[in-house]
Each structure stands twice: as structure tokens, then as C-alpha cells.
Amino acid sequence: MTLILASTSPIRGTLLANAGVAYAAEAPGVDEAALKTGFAGDDAALTVALGEAKAMAVSTRRPDALVIGSDSLVSIEGRRFDKPAGRETAAEHLRFFSGKVMELTSAAVLVERGENVWSHAARARLKVRPLSEEFIDSYLEADWPEVSYCVGVFRLEGPGVQLFESIDGDHFTILGLPLLPLLVALRQRGVLAS
Ligand SMILES: Nc1nc2c(ncn2[C@H]2C[C@H](O)[C@@H](COP(=O)(O)OP(=O)(O)OP(=O)(O)O)O2)c(=O)[nH]1
């Protein structure tokens, strides 16, 4: 069975490829903002719903495939953050994050023939150190626009690691995909060797 990643996220594709998982990527073409508006569930439920919507959109076009959908979001003190719209928005996010605990939730969903057959959400907590204006400027000078696609305005595998005092949670979840539970599900479905 063909495995499709319904995502435009560079890091999600890299994580699967580095894990040796054969897949094809296809843009989901889902209006995430519309789905987020008025969503009453918690972060885990929202990321699962968004991941499912992305996978469903592709599964409809590709009933022959097993489709992975994924989503990540950042919350701080109940306020949710999307990817920064521009460099100044990124700086505003970083100023708000300074000295606070960031909760990053990522979900993965498997859809087959239009049915959600598996989903998993995981949360990590990242303690952001106090960030000076000078640091924020130099950080964005060095890693913008690379972080423009990243919720939380960081690439943990890059200079983003300098934002944090401590991290509690799964590395892959933070990058954007709860990879280990997904690999278990793919082995259980015979997509990967056990
Ligand atoms: N390289 C990298 N990317 C990160 C990190 N943390 C979060 N991200 C990225 C992963 C996702 O691409 C993005 C979260 O936004 P979304 O879940 O909406 O995904 P995105 O719009 O990028 O792609 P998709 O909706 O799957 O087509 O943030 C990190 O530490 N490193």
C-alpha cells in the first residue's frame, strides 16, 4: 500500500526519510484557520482534528493509499500561537515567550479510504529563558526566514535550542511529528517490518 504524507512541512518529510520510511508527500490543501475558529477542544484534540482533516483531504483523492496527517501548535498560558506571519510577528511572539513555559503539542493521524484508523497526540513542555532584545534581533537575523514555517519560532535542531533553559518531552514531537508512536502504528499495519 502506498504511504502518503499529507504535509508541506519540510521537517516532517525529513523525519520520515531519515527513519527509512518510504513515502510520497502531497500538500493537503486544507483551510486550517477555518477549522481552528471556534474549536472547543483542548490542544491535543485540535491537533488530531487538524491532522485528520489534512489526511482526509488527501485520502479522498487517493483511496488506494494510507495517509499520514499531522499538526503542531504552541500554547502559553492558554493562548495559542500559529506560525509567525512575518519577522516582526516572530519578534512579538519571542518577546511574549520570554521566561515562560511553552507547551508544544503535535499529533499524527492515519487515514485509510476516508476513515481515521489511528491517531496520537503528544505534548512537550519547553522552558523559555529570559530573552533580551539583542538576542531576539540576532536570533532572527541568523534564522529568519528559516523559522518562518515553525510554530514557536524555532528549529530545535538549529539555533532554536538557544531559546530554552529546559525541555521536557519527546524530541520528535517537538520537531513536529510524534514519530515513535507512528512507527509502532506503521509496523502494526505491516507497512514497516517488525
Ligand atoms: N524544523 C523544525 N520545524 C519545527 C520545529 N517545531 C515546529 N516545527 C514546524 C513543524 C511544522 O512544519 C510547523 C507546525 O505547523 P503545522 O503543523 O501547521 O504544519 P505546516 O503548516 O508546516 O505543514 P502542514 O500543515 O503539515 O502542511 O512547525 C522544530 O523544532 N524544527
Side-chain angles (χ1 to χ4, degrees), residues 7-9 12 32 54 72 83 149 151 156-157 174-175:
S7 178
T8 59
S9 169
R12 292 190 177 120
E32 294 185 45
K54 297 174 195 180
S72 301
K83 299 183 288 289
Y149 84 88
V151 71
L156 190 65
E157 75 279 18
I174 295 167
L175 266 58

